[in-house]
Amino acid sequence: MAPSAISPAQQHAQLAFASKKAQDAGAAVQDRTADGLTKPLTEMMGSWDNFTFAPIRESTVSRAMTRRYFADLDAHAETDIVIVGAGSCGLSAAYTLGTLRPDLRITIIEAGVAPGGGAWLGGQLFSAMVMRKPADVFLREIGVPFDDEGDYVVVKHAALFTSTVLSKVLAMENVKMFNATTVEDLITRPDAEEGGAGVRIAGVVTNWTLVSMHHDDQSCMDPNTVNAPVVISTTGHDGPFGAFSVKRLVSMKQLEQLEGMRGLDMTRAEDAIVKNTREIVPGLIVGGMELSEIDGANRMGPTFGAMALSGVKAAEEAIRVFDM
Ligand code: 48N
């Protein structure tokens, strides 16, 4: 459809889009029109009548995916730090680690196809996300705009925070995410310092999430493994997949019991989660809402500052443990 066949408003919108896109890309834009805008995308593409993609063979696409996936699996079979769960806490930890320690290999294992956990919406499916100060510092660091309301800030859509931190993490050379993949156990070693019963966590046991969900109705489907001296677990509060590592520590008799997440108290909950993000057993750091299950911390409801800053603290704790 030649550009002249579209309405002036459509043409202007197209010109504006093309111009902003080119400027954002910092492209040296050729063929500017008289009023300084780039040519309409449609003109850049030439006539749609003769449009065609470059040639491809199906096996080429398959190899482009599988070659990379299995090379990544091979490379990350030994890693420096594993993060279990790519919710707001896990992603904030990954961003902090990827930024502070580009020398470390970071492997994120996320059970969902879509990373992000509970941070795609604010409360009760509302879109805005509230973070209490000083968590605005993290938003400034990753470049997420917000409305400053004094003691707190509001990101106009939670997905803007989550997609921004996710995109930055995925772009980091030293970070690899395996989503649709579940941690279904922990790798352990006897911990000499503890004497008898104590263990040190030495990595995670994984399986594709769809496989993990069918161990009851399929014959033995053994898992895969990732060796790592440090694991950060941020699997959220109890739920179908939640609180994974802390529940496993109880079943391995490394924790007496879980205190269980308590009622909602924003003020107490957020301070407690950030302050108590810590190494629970040697090699395993727990942050975010998973921590509330161990300590019996309150829940905070629809405010996410503690998730971001717990992630920052978990990352710093992991570097401390890794460098010991
Ligand atoms: O978002 P979540 O559930 O967890 P956090 O701690 O990052 O953030 C919690 C936050 O969203 C809240 O709950 C807010 C603040 N509300 C509080 C309240 O009062 O209700 O993300 C956990 C992620 C999810 O993406 C899961 O899919 C993933 O962890 N996950 C796992 N991934 C791999 N292996 C597992 N075994 C596993 N279990 C959970």
Side-chain angles (χ1 to χ4, degrees), residues 61 69 105 204 262 270 288 322:
V61 173
Y69 191 92
R105 176 173 292 160
V204 294
R262 301 292 159 80
E270 291 220 281
F322 186 83

Side-chain angles (χ1 to χ4, degrees), residues 85 87-89 109-111 117-118 183 234 236-237 241 289 299-301 307:
S88 44
C89 183
I109 309 289
E110 164 53 49
V183 165
T234 57
H237 49 66
F241 279 99
M289 286 310 285
R299 64 187 299 189
M300 69 290 288
M307 298 305 107

Side-chain angles (χ1 to χ4, degrees), residues 56-72:
I56 191 84
R57 184 167 173 75
E58 289 80 358
S59 58
T60 305
V61 173
S62 175
R63 285 178 174 139
M65 297 184 295
T66 52
R67 185 178 294 139
R68 287 167 175 78
Y69 191 92
F70 289 100
D72 286 337

Side-chain angles (χ1 to χ4, degrees), residues 255-269:
L255 279 180
E256 279 292 307
Q257 62 176 24
L258 296 183
E259 291 299 318
M261 180 176 74
R262 301 292 159 80
L264 196 148
D265 178 336
M266 276 185 187
T267 305
R268 297 164 66 93

